[in-house]
Amino acid sequence: MKGTTMGIKKNKATIVAALGLSSLLLLSACGGNDAASADGLGEREGIDTVEALGGEEAKAQFEEQYAAALEAGQESLNIYTPLTATWPSVFEAFGERFPGIEVAPLQIVGAELDTKISQEQSSGQRIADIVITGDVGAVSLADRDYFEEYRPANAEKVTSDPQFSLENGTLTAVSASPRGLIYDTRQDLGQTPDSWDDLLDPAYKGKITMTDPTTDGGGMQWADLVLNADKLGKPYLEKLAAQDPIFSSSTAECHNAVVQGRAYVCLMGAMGNYLTLTNDGAPVEISYPVEGGNWATYWYAGVIKEAENNKAAELFVSWLNSPEANEVKAKAGHGPIVNAEGLDLPFENPAEVPLFPRPDLVDVTERQREGQKAVSSVFNK
């Protein structure tokens, strides 16, 4: 199999159909918030609460956590994350299920996120209750003892797997965002980018954009995975560098360069952003190369140690891995980690396609830093 174009259709109706009737009821705006009060779980029209939360035992656990948060006066939740643009439906759904807690997400990423959390911790004036970010950023904060130990009862598969957790239980994987190649359907270069080798075609020279692979972020994550992939490795990166790729400042800018016609293909295509773009009518398509492997961005949640709203934050982390949350996240282009039995996704599940080999979570930062020198030399940085 050379590669696959992700199972995304170009009209919203097909995407909704792919999610199934249960998802339509769960996600549509007409579902509304039927919660009568903050004294109990909110009801969502047409949705069975027990099934949505993972069964009677899980429902009872959520009720207990919710009541504990409200009893402690925790009626708000401050979330620091880069996901505010793609997760508004996720935050809204949480608010419907737990109507006594108001979610306040702050869009913040990378070095700025690290600096802000560090300042809040050193001053003792903590605003953030929870951080949701990528692996390197999350591990860096966890290494400085900024997160409390918390292992959600509904995510034991995650919290016991070194690929997705730290031994001290301070991080929980909450989603896997598929990555692919987003390209401009208005431009015809003779072939669409369906494999990694397609990017090496002379017609693509100067028409590829990617986030900087020599600095922290998606570009470095991808370069590290390729560097350690048996079928690609440093030789592939050298060939790609000869294509004169254009470095973008962020994943969003990478997408924008394609939408605006300044590049043909964004190597860092993110499924959530792709869905947003196509829903807005952008002339783009996405493909999912599988030769040699592909990749996904795993997102991790950490509850800030001594956070003002720590019980509400723990509730949110648990809910993020519930069947209900997995349905909503799928709409936002994020695949599930656990509790997704029977879930129809409008894209290929990262758990079901060949992925580049990943190190254990505890080793992610060190491996990327070790490879940074080699990657920088390849791209003359």
Side-chain angles (χ1 to χ4, degrees):
M1 179 168 59
K2 181 181 180 183
T4 61
T5 297
M6 296 293 283
I8 300 292
K9 306 301 181 182
K10 295 183 180 179
N11 60 78
K12 187 180 296 185
T14 308
I15 293 175
V16 172
L19 281 169
L21 179 60
S22 63
S23 299
L24 176 61
L25 292 172
L26 176 64
L27 299 174
S28 68
C30 66
N33 179 5
D34 294 332
S37 72
D39 295 331
L41 299 179
E43 295 295 329
R44 309 185 71 213
E45 185 178 345
I47 302 301
D48 182 278
T49 299
V50 174
E51 183 178 350
L53 296 180
E56 289 286 359
E57 185 177 345
K59 176 177 177 288
Q61 177 68 29
F62 279 115
E63 288 174 333
E64 182 179 335
Q65 286 188 279
Y66 182 40
L70 295 182
E71 185 177 349
Q74 298 182 14
E75 299 179 353
S76 63
L77 179 61
N78 297 314
I79 302 175
Y80 288 4
T81 182
L83 296 174
T84 60
T86 54
W87 272 27
S89 59
V90 177
F91 303 133
E92 180 182 355
F94 176 82
E96 292 175 351
R97 182 59 71 193
F98 307 100
I101 300 174
E102 181 178 356
V103 177
L106 174 67
Q107 175 75 17
I108 186 167
V109 64
E112 184 182 3
L113 170 61
D114 190 286
T115 299
K116 186 161 179 56
I117 293 296
S118 298
Q119 290 174 343
E120 291 183 13
Q121 288 294 102
S122 61
S123 68
Q125 298 179 342
R126 298 174 181 86
I127 300 174
D129 299 308
I130 183 173
V131 170
I132 302 173
T133 192
D135 50 16
V136 171
V139 171
S140 177
L141 294 170
D143 285 346
R144 280 169 278 169
D145 200 28
Y146 290 165
F147 298 132
E148 68 170 39
E149 178 181 350
Y150 180 63
R151 294 178 171 88
N154 66 347
E156 184 178 352
K157 181 180 177 181
V158 170
T159 57
S160 62
D161 187 339
Q163 284 274 311
F164 300 112
S165 65
L166 298 177
E167 188 176 359
N168 61 7
T170 54
L171 292 176
T172 300
V174 294
S175 80
S177 176
R179 295 283 195 147
L181 305 175
I182 290 181
Y183 59 94
D184 185 352
T185 57
R186 297 164 299 187
Q187 300 184 49
D188 184 2
L189 300 188
Q191 65 175 3
T192 57
D194 299 321
S195 73
W196 299 119
D197 283 344
D198 287 343
L199 297 178
L200 306 181
D201 189 295
Y204 283 55
K205 189 165 186 175
K207 296 182 178 295
I208 301 168
T209 183
M210 61 187 296
T211 55
D212 193 338
T214 66
T215 59
D216 289 345
M220 181 182 288
Q221 181 187 54
W222 176 84
D224 169 74
L225 292 170
V226 171
L227 187 65
N228 289 278
D230 292 338
K231 295 182 179 180
L232 295 173
K234 188 175 180 179
Y236 179 82
L237 292 178
E238 291 173 338
K239 293 174 184 176
L240 182 68
Q243 291 287 72
D244 298 332
I246 305 163
F247 291 162
S248 296
S249 59
S250 65
T251 300
E253 172 56 26
C254 190
H255 298 144
N256 288 338
V258 174
V259 172
Q260 296 167 7
R262 293 183 282 114
Y264 172 64
V265 58
C266 168
L267 191 149
M268 304 298 157
M271 182 54 62
N273 297 83
Y274 169 77
L275 291 175
T276 299
L277 290 172
T278 53
N279 286 342
D280 291 340
V284 296
E285 187 54 84
I286 189 168
S287 66
Y288 200 53
V290 294
E291 283 187 356
N294 206 286
W295 65 308
T297 296
Y298 288 87
W299 297 91
Y300 298 84
V303 177
I304 294 293
K305 184 174 288 188
E306 299 182 21
E308 182 177 355
N309 301 299
N310 64 320
K311 295 183 184 300
E314 292 171 357
L315 174 64
F316 188 72
V317 175
S318 293
W319 179 79
L320 281 176
N321 275 314
S322 69
E324 175 173 64
N326 283 334
E327 294 257 14
V328 184
K329 289 183 298 183
K331 175 79 171 182
H334 282 245
I337 305 292
V338 291
N339 302 317
E341 294 76 10
L343 176 65
D344 291 324
L345 299 174
F347 47 79
E348 294 184 52
N349 190 338
E352 298 174 356
V353 297
L355 294 178
F356 293 127
R358 299 172 61 244
D360 287 348
L361 183 59
V362 70
D363 298 321
V364 163
T365 303
E366 181 178 357
R367 196 179 85 166
Q368 287 193 19
R369 287 176 178 167
E370 287 178 351
Q372 188 173 15
K373 184 175 181 180
V375 172
S376 295
S377 67
V378 166
F379 289 94
N380 297 318
K381 294 283 287 185

